[in-house]
Amino acid sequence: MRLDGSVVVITGAGNGIGAAMARKFAGAGARLVLGDIDADGVGAVAEEIGGLAVPGDVASESGVAALVDAAMSEHGAVDVYCANAGTTGGTEADEAAWADTWEINVMAHVRAARALLPHWLERGQGHFLATASAAGLLTMLRAAPYSVTKHAAVAHAEWLNITYADKGVTAQALCPQGVRTNMLADTGDTGKALLVPEAITPEQVADLVAEKLGGEEFLILPHPEVGDYYALRAAQPEKWQAGMRKLQRKVE
Ligand SMILES: NC(=O)c1ccc[n+]([C@@H]2O[C@H](COP(=O)([O-])OP(=O)(O)OC[C@H]3O[C@@H](n4cnc5c(N)ncnc54)[C@H](O)[C@@H]3O)[C@@H](O)[C@H]2O)c1
């Protein structure tokens, strides 16, 4: 996809993968609108790349609407929306953790798409990038809310693409394994044991996204082996689960 001159909104752009994508896309000539609940972080990234910072919380309908409205007021259009902000949801999986994780990892995507679809369908053009996770195709041990909500984020992006691609509105799902960000540092012993050895940098993820954005592939897989695991899970679910149960015993 040609990024030069395009308007790109990124949530969770104050740190990690979102900040790296903002820098990469700005380098390719895109005009960036950056959202994050971390006002200082997103302000610093926006200042560095000459984008617009819109501090706010994507866990509410009004927070998402404010971000989309700010982009439309500033640039009159949105070409690409990267629903990237996310939360691990912790391992406790109490009511509050499930609710928070659902709002941020899923409903923020649903609400952004709902806000943008009329604009995109009128123009016959628009692209939605969901930062899901390898956990959205496979699972994440000891993290039920994360696994479930990331599956939902992939399902939502898939549904959008199937429903609207013929009308010019497309979607992709970005599904990395470990990426060296604050989130990985916060995943605790399980995340560290499973993800750190193969972890890549946010800049590596951003480089691949810039290459694949708007292309033929629905899944953007910074760790290509995830595609093999996903195929095994579909073809032989019991065999795949046996492997995951072995890993579960190991981390216990
Ligand atoms: N780091 C990994 O190993 C990894 C792997 C797969 C997928 N991901 C996904 O990548 C995305 C980005 O995470 P990251 O690794 O860059 O972590 P990160 O912690 O560096 O960045 C996440 C950003 O999202 C922001 N954010 C969180 N809740 C928000 C909210 N309610 N409203 C607005 N902003 C909010 C945070 O302030 C932060 O700046 C997430 O969706 C995450 O699930 C990360």
Side-chain angles (χ1 to χ4, degrees), residues 52-126:
L52 175 70
V54 186
D57 186 354
V58 294
S60 71
E61 188 167 17
S62 59
V64 174
L67 178 61
V68 172
D69 288 350
M72 292 298 288
S73 307
E74 182 82 359
H75 297 295
V78 171
D79 296 297
V80 179
Y81 189 95
C82 302
N84 169 77
T87 180
T88 58
T91 51
E92 294 303 318
D94 58 16
E95 280 292 317
W98 273 102
D100 279 1
T101 313
W102 186 253
E103 294 293 339
I104 298 169
N105 291 359
V106 185
M107 291 312 294
H109 298 208
V110 173
R111 289 164 179 153
R114 194 195 287 143
L116 283 161
L117 272 168
H119 166 58
W120 283 350
L121 290 172
E122 197 188 323
R123 299 169 82 207
Q125 184 193 326

